[in-house]
Amino acid sequence: MSDGSRAAWLRERNPLPDGTLTVGAGLIINGVTAYAFLGLAGRSLGAEAFEPLSVLWAMIYLLSPGFFLPLEQEVSRALANRWARGVGVGPLINQAGTIGAGLLGAVLVGTIIAGPFLVEHLFDGQVMVLVGLLLALTGYAAVHLARGTLAGLGRFRGYAAYYVYENTLRLAACAVLVVAGVDTAGPYALVVGLAPAFALACAMRKERNLVSPGPAAPRSELTAALGSLLFASLFSAFLLYGGVVAVSLLAEEDQAGDASVFLAGLAIARVPVFLFQAVQAALLPKLSALAGAGRFADFRTRLWRLLGAVAAVGAAGVLGALLLGSQVIHLLFGSDYAISSTDLALLALSSAGFMLAVALGQALIALSAQSWVGIGWLVGSIVFVVVTALGHDLFLRVEAGMVAGSVAAALVIGGLAEIRLHARLVEPAH
């Protein structure tokens, strides 16, 4: 076998989509700097003073992907489709920008209306933390639109560059605040909120010729499934980070700072999910291309390989959390952030279920069954709320809810994906 043939064979057998390694490299840097930022801020402030920043972090990664990831997914899918057909993408990108601006406006208005409740009950009375949330939502609206464009056009270097800059900038600014002796969460919240916009500006400096002239984009080309994806994205983000908010709301007066400890544990347990973003970014265009070409047998084969890889990573994450998680948290955050190995293993198990559900959801999107994805995430969210409500121990009730919710979502979405794929496989026989 020649070197070229061998390389082609290896690419075909690789369960990961093209672009995964490039984005993964950026995510590794992003992850290391994110944990360094959280650890440095957490140590400097202490668990109780860090709690408003913990809740802010969770809310940013609940609301931003919840509202804007669907736009990224639809832009990525639609651009990949046009690009594969040699059709100009400019009108589609312009339409996406208009939709994103309208969606951002609605989210900002809702957040401002909820502002008094957030400040009083979740942000420890610090208005500056609310400002950080508004800044972050604005920045991430632009980030998701840009990432969808880059992924759809196969520009994964620019996609990865964003991840390199995002938390590197946060860490540098955090170090300045620590040296200055800042002991409240507000200034750190501004750093968190401003980073996305600055990182995007840095990442896009070298990107050229993204907007090419082409035929007008009918509204249905981009928005037909956007509502369904928005529904699914909000509930999936709720499953991913709602636990931190739940701990903050359910905690008694003598449990101040527990949300910070829970976030520290969740951050460690979510390492596989964080890296899975590299697969997610490159997965949808690849599966969409296979579906568009009618190669549904190849579609199923690639999906099963990916699910096997995800399950293996998830199992390794559970084992790592059980054996090493407590020591890592103590090393990174300090003695104020004590959480048991059992707690960490449960959080890692919920992460494994979540990754499987996301991978299967991407398959449904590629098969033009976007409206079905939300069913699974809705079921998972309901299960999370019910199981959490039935428990008593603060951490255990939330962890059990997250595990049950993620597994339920994966089972429902997987069943729907099999139904849809089976229908596509038998279509030629009619």
Side-chain angles (χ1 to χ4, degrees), residues 274-340:
F274 192 82
L275 295 176
F276 182 67
Q277 292 178 75
V279 180
Q280 186 178 355
L283 175 61
L284 184 56
K286 178 63 178 179
L287 291 181
S288 296
L290 290 174
R295 297 169 56 190
F296 295 110
D298 291 340
F299 184 104
R300 170 174 276 174
T301 298
R302 181 170 287 271
L303 179 60
W304 272 111
R305 288 176 185 165
L306 176 68
L307 292 177
V310 170
V313 171
V318 173
L319 184 61
L322 188 63
L323 297 178
L324 301 173
S326 295
Q327 297 91 314
V328 173
I329 288 178
H330 185 273
L331 178 65
L332 186 61
F333 290 90
S335 57
D336 283 353
Y337 298 81
I339 185 169
S340 73

Side-chain angles (χ1 to χ4, degrees), residues 49-321:
F50 185 58
E51 184 156 322
L53 194 64
S54 300
V55 177
L56 171 69
W57 189 272
M59 289 193 68
I60 286 174
Y61 289 103
L62 190 162
L63 295 175
S64 297
F67 282 102
F68 304 121
L69 182 59
L71 184 62
E72 176 180 335
Q73 291 174 325
E74 278 296 272
V75 169
S76 174
R77 178 196 58 77
L79 288 186
N81 183 279
R82 280 198 169 208
W83 187 52
R85 294 183 289 116
V87 177
V89 300
L92 193 65
I93 294 175
N94 292 335
Q95 184 184 108
T98 301
I99 294 170
L103 187 59
L104 172 62
V107 174
L108 292 180
V109 169
T111 304
I112 291 171
I113 292 173
F117 173 85
L118 296 175
V119 171
E120 180 179 356
H121 295 284
L122 294 175
F123 294 158
D124 196 30
Q126 299 183 57
V127 176
M128 201 177 293
V129 181
L130 176 63
V131 174
L133 176 59
L134 295 171
L135 290 171
L137 291 173
T138 303
Y140 279 117
V143 166
H144 282 287
L145 175 59
R147 290 196 327 209
T149 301
L150 293 171
L153 298 177
R155 304 278 192 94
F156 292 110
R157 287 186 180 276
Y159 199 110
Y162 168 79
Y163 284 119
V164 172
Y165 286 113
E166 182 188 29
N167 283 312
T168 302
L169 293 173
R170 282 179 177 148
L171 178 59
C174 178
V176 173
L177 294 178
V178 170
V179 171
V182 176
D183 58 1
T184 59
Y188 292 89
L190 293 182
V191 167
V192 171
L194 288 169
F198 279 94
L200 182 61
C202 293
M204 298 297 286
R205 286 179 305 166
K206 296 182 179 180
E207 294 297 330
R208 300 289 186 272
N209 303 317
L210 291 174
V211 181
S212 54
R219 188 169 296 273
S220 61
E221 187 175 359
L222 193 60
T223 62
L226 195 57
S228 299
L229 287 175
L230 180 62
F231 180 82
S233 186
L234 283 170
F235 283 111
S236 66
F238 175 69
L239 268 181
L240 190 59
Y241 278 104
V244 178
V245 180
V247 168
S248 182
L249 290 174
L250 293 171
E252 303 291 341
E253 290 186 5
D254 62 345
Q255 294 174 313
D258 276 13
S260 297
V261 177
F262 192 85
L263 176 67
L266 189 62
I268 298 302
R270 287 288 191 246
V271 169
V273 177
F274 192 82
L275 295 176
F276 182 67
Q277 292 178 75
V279 180
Q280 186 178 355
L283 175 61
L284 184 56
K286 178 63 178 179
L287 291 181
S288 296
L290 290 174
R295 297 169 56 190
F296 295 110
D298 291 340
F299 184 104
R300 170 174 276 174
T301 298
R302 181 170 287 271
L303 179 60
W304 272 111
R305 288 176 185 165
L306 176 68
L307 292 177
V310 170
V313 171
V318 173
L319 184 61

